[in-house]
């Protein structure tokens, strides 16, 4: 009773017994939905024919090379040159006599860039479309352009009228599949790389994931028109540069994070030594600046994800399967340029968390110019205003 009013208790029917059949169906449905993708993934992994190999990796107990000075925010204060006119300008070559930069773009065009006081006043001309994808580019003795076109081979392009001559497309009976870096020595000899004789430019990720040495370092003699293979079994042989003293060429192997030197003259001719091993990033093109230093471009720094991917074939196989059936974006950060001396020791480092796929860096006067296989412009940084500083001043 509440407040003098009788309250009648209500009785409720007991809950129905659990439907064991429904619960069982729910459990098996959950188990099936869990096991099906796992089983399919295991079957796909074992049935897929892609078979990555282990890389001959350096000693991972040693930290990567580190420069004493750096600018780790180069996008701050930098300019963008050629926005809307330059589609992925991969490599850069400077003709000091004419005061112009040449670059090869993703749409096949060789572009000529002339800088004025203001970046917005820069003049960009179309020189010639190779019909392929120009990558490495160097200035010849007569201001002709020597171009490594990934699809067309090694090209000679007259800078005045854009006429194109194919110099070579194969060596030892094996055609180039990914003609990449190029450099010209004082004696006229041309040195260049074929990053892979198996995969082309748009398949380059498969060469890196497979982990097998399909790269070659070669020379071409314009006088005899002879192409020689100097080194084979290289791991994605990338950028190349002739040393200032003309005794060796430096070539980069991207997945191994190293640059090596091949001697072209002197007592050690034909032998190989380390130049800059254990780099802090994955190298692309390399350029000497006329002051005894080399500028090595990095597409990304050495990240944990990339380190694990390169180190373990099983991860590369899984990545390859995902790439084949889903597609994977490029994941990286802190792309930029490392400056090393003539012995390969790091001096300065220019990079930015917002930069990836930087493919070349050259110094002209007080400015650093960076090309890319992705950005639709050239990054220009005034080094006098935004220099590399000791770490404690950052």
């Amino acid at each position: 009773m509440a407040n003098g009013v009788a309250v009648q208790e209500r009785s409720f029917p007991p809950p129905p017994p659990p439907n064991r059949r429904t619960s069982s169906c729910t459990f098996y449905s959950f188990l099936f939905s869990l096991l099906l993708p796992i089983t399919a993934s295991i079957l796909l992994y074992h049935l897929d024919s892609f078979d990555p190999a282990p890389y001959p990796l350096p000693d991972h107990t040693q930290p990567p090379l580190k420069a004493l000075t750096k600018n780790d925010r180069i996008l701050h204060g930098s300019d963008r040159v050629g926005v809307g006119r330059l589609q992925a300008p991969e490599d850069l070559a400077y003709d000091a006599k004419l005061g112009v930069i040449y670059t090869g773009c993703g749409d096949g065009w060789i572009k000529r860039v002339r800088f004025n006081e203001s970046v917005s006043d820069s003049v960009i001309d179309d020189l010639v479309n190779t019909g392929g994808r120009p990558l490495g580019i160097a200035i010849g003795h007569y201001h002709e352009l020597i171009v490594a076109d990934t699809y067309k081979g090694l090209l000679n392009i007259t800078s005045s009228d854009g006429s194109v001559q194919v110099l070579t497309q194969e060596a030892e009976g094996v055609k180039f599949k990914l003609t990449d870096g190029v450099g010209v020595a004082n004696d006229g000899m041309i040195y260049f790389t074929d990053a892979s004789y198996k995969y082309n430019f748009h398949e380059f990720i498969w060469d890196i994931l497979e982990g097998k040495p399909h790269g070659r370092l070669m020379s071409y003699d314009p006088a005899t028109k002879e192409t020689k293979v100097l080194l084979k079994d290289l791991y994605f042989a990338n950028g190349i540069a002739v040393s200032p003293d003309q005794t060796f060429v430096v070539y980069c192997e991207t997945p191994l994070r190293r640059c090596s030197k091949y001697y072209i003259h002197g007592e050690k001719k034909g032998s190989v030594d380390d130049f800059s091993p254990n780099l802090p990033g994955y190298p692309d093109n390399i350029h000497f600046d006329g002051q005894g230093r080399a500028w090595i471009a990095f597409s990304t720094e050495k990240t944990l994800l990339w380190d694990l991917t390169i180190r373990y074939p099983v991860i590369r196989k899984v990545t390859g399967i995902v790439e084949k059936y889903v597609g994977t974006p490029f994941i990286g950060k802190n792309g930029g340029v490392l400056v090393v001396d003539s012995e390969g020791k790091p001096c300065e480092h220019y990079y930015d968390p917002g930069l990836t796929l930087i493919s070349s860096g050259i110094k002209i006067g007080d400015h650093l110019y960076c090309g890319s296989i992705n950005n639709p412009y050239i990054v220009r940084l005034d080094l006098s205003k935004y220099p590399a500083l000791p770490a404690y001043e950052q």
Side-chain angles (χ1 to χ4, degrees):
M1 178 177 293
N3 298 326
V5 180
V7 178
Q8 183 180 1
E9 294 186 359
R10 299 180 60 186
S11 61
F12 295 91
N19 189 329
R20 297 186 178 183
R21 178 175 297 180
T22 302
S23 300
S24 178
C25 289
T26 302
F27 170 75
Y28 285 116
S29 296
F30 170 75
L31 186 63
F32 181 76
S33 64
L34 182 66
L35 292 179
L36 181 61
I38 295 176
T39 304
S41 299
I42 293 173
L43 287 174
L44 185 61
Y45 180 88
H46 287 285
L47 294 176
D48 194 281
S49 60
F50 184 57
D51 185 26
Y55 274 110
L57 296 176
D59 183 4
H60 280 275
T61 63
Q62 298 298 319
L65 295 178
K66 186 176 181 179
L68 296 177
T69 62
K70 65 179 181 178
N71 178 341
D72 58 4
R73 291 291 188 275
I74 65 172
L75 288 180
H76 173 69
S78 65
D79 299 310
R80 297 181 177 185
V81 180
V83 177
R85 296 293 310 278
L86 299 173
Q87 180 184 324
E90 200 266 355
D91 195 15
L92 309 174
Y94 180 59
D95 189 325
K97 184 176 180 180
L98 300 179
V100 298
I101 287 178
Y102 293 96
T103 186
C105 297
D107 53 8
W109 280 99
I110 301 291
K111 303 272 189 171
R112 181 167 46 210
V113 184
R114 190 183 303 275
F115 294 93
N116 295 317
E117 287 296 323
S118 171
V119 169
S120 60
D121 294 334
S122 300
V123 178
I124 300 175
D125 298 318
D126 298 337
L127 180 60
V128 64
N129 195 307
T130 66
R133 204 316 178 189
L135 295 178
I137 186 168
I139 307 296
H141 287 187
Y142 306 100
H143 301 284
E144 76 277 18
L145 306 180
I146 307 300
V147 176
D149 188 297
T150 184
Y151 294 110
K152 300 296 183 177
L154 189 67
L155 309 179
N156 181 303
I157 299 177
T158 305
S159 59
S160 58
D161 60 7
S163 59
V164 180
Q165 175 190 4
V166 178
L167 299 178
T168 178
Q169 293 179 311
E170 64 178 47
E172 297 182 350
V174 180
K175 294 200 69 172
F176 312 148
K177 203 69 177 284
L178 210 168
T179 326
D180 200 333
V182 63
V184 181
N186 289 345
D187 61 5
M189 188 70 74
I190 300 170
Y191 297 92
F192 65 105
T193 59
D194 182 22
S196 175
Y197 60 76
K198 182 175 181 179
Y199 296 99
N200 64 34
F201 177 73
H202 291 289
E203 301 167 331
F204 80 90
I205 190 63
W206 288 103
D207 191 275
I208 293 175
L209 293 177
E210 187 172 334
K212 297 176 183 177
H214 302 128
R216 297 180 290 174
L217 169 66
M218 290 165 288
S219 66
Y220 176 80
D221 189 339
T224 64
K225 304 186 185 310
E226 181 182 16
T227 305
K228 288 184 178 180
V229 177
L230 305 177
L231 293 173
K232 58 179 63 176
D233 297 331
L234 302 178
Y235 291 88
F236 205 85
N238 209 322
I240 188 171
V242 183
S243 67
D245 65 2
Q246 304 292 298
T247 60
F248 60 87
V249 295
V250 179
Y251 63 91
C252 301
E253 290 176 281
T254 299
L256 300 186
R257 292 188 294 107
R258 74 183 181 193
C259 292
S260 305
K261 52 186 176 183
Y262 174 85
Y263 290 92
I264 56 177
H265 293 297
E267 295 179 357
K268 303 181 74 172
K269 181 178 179 179
S271 62
V272 176
D273 276 338
D274 287 340
F275 182 70
S276 289
N278 202 14
L279 290 165
Y282 294 89
D284 199 316
N285 285 300
I286 175 172
H287 293 278
F288 283 97
D289 62 7
Q291 299 173 326
R293 303 192 305 173
W295 297 64
I296 306 171
F298 291 148
S299 57
T300 176
E301 71 172 1
K302 173 184 177 289
T303 64
L304 177 61
L305 179 58
W306 271 107
D307 188 45
L308 293 175
T309 300
I310 295 297
R311 193 183 305 186
Y312 297 109
V314 63
I315 296 180
R316 281 186 272 121
K317 178 158 185 174
V318 171
T319 303
I321 292 173
V322 174
E323 171 72 22
K324 184 183 297 185
Y325 296 102
V326 180
T328 55
F330 179 87
I331 300 175
K333 62 178 182 178
N334 288 326
V337 182
L338 180 73
V339 187
V340 300
D341 64 19
S342 59
E343 299 299 320
K345 298 177 181 178
C347 306
E348 303 168 9
H349 197 177
Y350 299 91
Y351 59 98
D352 195 281
L355 280 178
T356 60
L357 297 173
I358 294 299
S359 51
S360 59
I362 62 173
K363 180 178 181 290
I364 304 172
D366 290 331
H367 289 87
L368 166 63
Y369 297 84
C370 294
S372 169
I373 62 171
N374 183 58
N375 295 333
Y377 49 79
I378 294 172
V379 173
R380 184 174 83 159
L381 180 71
D382 189 334
L383 300 178
S384 64
K385 294 181 179 179
Y386 306 98
L389 300 173
Y392 62 84
E393 293 186 20
Q394 292 287 320

